[in-house]
Amino acid sequence: MKKDIEIPIAKDVYIAMVYEWNEEFLSKDWNAYIINNRKTPIEMALIVSKGYDDQIKTSTMRHAIGVVAAKSFEKVELVQEDVLRLNNEFFVTYYADNKLYEKRFLFEKGTVNEQHLIHIPLVEKDGIFAK
């Protein structure tokens, strides 16, 4: 029976922290983005995020994004500097090709900083990909 269950592998969907200028607050902020590098759109994207370490746990945030078009991205949330001192987990669930996909992304504490910035394709800004 177990051998008959197909568990699809999530590919070409990423979470990235992008370091960008905030015109409203006149400062640079870290924003989490979901990136769809697939050739087809993803639908009903649900993103659950939280920060944690051995002693501290943030509130769990839930975001729903109806459709993320093929080869595009959507902003998920602003991440405050205090939260970046913790492990930041993003659990992503979405539909594509009539299947349900899920994947866990993690930014380990201390890894989201200016020293680790790289160019993020599609978004065309500097940031950091989650593991």
Side-chain angles (χ1 to χ4, degrees), residues 105-124:
F105 296 92
L106 180 66
F107 294 96
E108 293 178 356
K109 64 179 170 181
T111 60
V112 180
N113 57 51
E114 292 182 60
Q115 290 91 16
H116 295 114
L117 290 174
I118 61 168
H119 179 75
I120 305 294
L122 294 177
V123 180
E124 298 302 325

Side-chain angles (χ1 to χ4, degrees), residues 30 52 81-88 107-116 128:
W30 291 97
Y52 64 91
E81 290 284 339
D82 291 347
V83 177
L84 294 175
R85 295 186 190 120
L86 306 170
N87 295 309
N88 282 271
F107 294 96
E108 293 178 356
K109 64 179 170 181
T111 60
V112 180
N113 57 51
E114 292 182 60
Q115 290 91 16
H116 295 114
I128 300 165

